[in-house]
Amino acid sequence: MYLKTTIGLILLSLASPYLYDREQVLETFFRNAPGKLNKFSTFKEYEVKFANKLRNCEDALLDEAMGLAILSCDVGRDKWNTVMGNFHNERVPSGALYIYDYSNFDLSDEAAVKRLTLTDFPSGDTDFHPLGIEYYVPTSTLYVVNHASTGSTIEIFHLSVSSLTATHIRTLKHPLVHTPNSIAAITDTEIYFTNDHYFPARENTLLAKAETYLAVPGGSVVHVNLITDSAKIVAHIPFPNGIAVLNETTLAVSSTSKPGVYLYTMTKQSDLVLQKVIRVPSLIDNLSVDANGKLLIAGHPHAPSLVTVSGARALCNSDKPEERESEVCKVRAPSWVGEWTEEAGLRELYQGLDFQTSCTAIRDTKKGLGIVTGLYERGIMVWKE
Ligand SMILES: *[C@@H]1O[C@H](CO)[C@@H](O)[C@H](O)[C@H]1NC(C)=O
Ligand SMILES: *[C@@H]1O[C@H](CO)[C@@H](O)[C@H](O)[C@H]1NC(C)=O
């Protein structure tokens, strides 16, 4: 009896931070329901741009010197989402990478947004479902997580902005490239990337969902040496999503199901030592770091709406008008953007419904301009500070 109680107490004490976390997440289900959502914006102005040209953009990266952003967008995500587990059997259109010239705010859609051509890419454009991308400026290397129908891969390209082409160099093959989501390049020969789940949704949707909702630390952060292609798992996290280099010594990884940002010290051996966890009042998607070293965080304040929107997109973007007018298509999933520094802590920048399903926020500090992408949204949101 005594032993049982002791074991029970130990289990309970182990579980209580866990239960606290779950309760925090559940609370957002009520507090942030679209009808009750507290909407705010700290931006001087913002606008949804290129709604007729871009859809379902997940990632965005800046090349501030050139005044360009690289966008990863996948219209196929309506019918093919290997993270959230939506699979339709019909033919799924491919996604694409785009270059957005934000140097001039008032350029026309055609002049501002251009599609990149993939050259030497084995499957051509036919099985391309880009998610996380990373650009290593010194060598113009572009890393792309591709959720291809034949299996998820990390593809390495050489980017030429002047000719608008990404030339395929090679596919990174390794058993640890399992459920890749986001990539952070450390040097020209080293990357970290996240595997968002232990159970790939494409193999077992139910187990992947259980892993998400129970916040089981089944996801991983993997370090890869690109000279030898040796890889090792350096951290286990529940649903790790975004990954970004905060400064020379610190790597930030977001957990969508926890929800928080994990800060790690990178050791000389490329292992990770946990420094701290930053709590965020939203389910976090992706991270980025601006030129002033501020961490930008984008997320989903209301998970149930995101799940509904994600599941209904194929219907709501259907060719049949009667399907597009379905009741479920009126549901919108709110967006949230915040920033964090050690000195100032967390500051919330935006929460609202004018732009839905925010997943990445980036900022050009000199121009005072920021971009938010939306996982299931038309266009991108551009803000001025
Ligand atoms: C998130 O953003 C970072 C850059 O800040 C990028 O390297 C990563 O691939 C992105 N991931 C996703 C899933 O968008
Ligand atoms: C990097 O960021 C961490 C977390 O904010 C901070 O503790 C550390 O001092 C920073 N290191 C450098 C070299 O700036």
Side-chain angles (χ1 to χ4, degrees), residues 27 122 129 143 169 195 229 290 365:
E27 206 228 331
H129 297 288
Y143 300 90
I169 303 172
N195 279 312
D229 277 4
D290 73 13
T365 52

Side-chain angles (χ1 to χ4, degrees), residues 58-59 61 131-134 181-183 241 243-244 286-288 360:
E58 145 100 289
D59 206 357
L61 299 165
L131 194 73
I133 53 174
E134 169 74 323
N181 191 307
S182 291
I183 305 168
N241 203 325
I243 185 164
N286 203 15
L287 304 172
S288 73
T360 301

Side-chain angles (χ1 to χ4, degrees), residues 131-157:
L131 194 73
I133 53 174
E134 169 74 323
Y135 184 44
Y136 190 67
V137 180
T139 54
S140 306
T141 307
L142 185 67
Y143 300 90
V144 181
V145 168
N146 180 18
H147 284 185
S149 63
T150 48
S152 296
T153 57
I154 293 178
E155 303 294 347
I156 307 178
F157 294 90

Side-chain angles (χ1 to χ4, degrees), residues 246-250 263 275 340 342:
L246 189 62
N247 61 34
E248 268 161 48
T249 52
T250 302
L263 294 188
Q275 284 172 24
W340 180 89
E342 186 80 62

Side-chain angles (χ1 to χ4, degrees), residues 218-260:
S220 59
V221 182
V222 175
H223 175 269
V224 187
N225 174 326
L226 294 165
I227 297 177
T228 56
D229 277 4
S230 51
K232 62 176 176 181
I233 293 180
V234 288
H236 284 284
I237 300 187
F239 202 157
N241 203 325
I243 185 164
V245 180
L246 189 62
N247 61 34
E248 268 161 48
T249 52
T250 302
L251 186 72
V253 183
S254 60
S255 163
T256 298
S257 54
K258 189 80 175 158

Side-chain angles (χ1 to χ4, degrees), residues 150-168:
T150 48
S152 296
T153 57
I154 293 178
E155 303 294 347
I156 307 178
F157 294 90
H158 183 268
L159 180 68
S160 162
V161 171
S162 55
S163 66
L164 290 172
T165 52
T167 307
H168 190 242

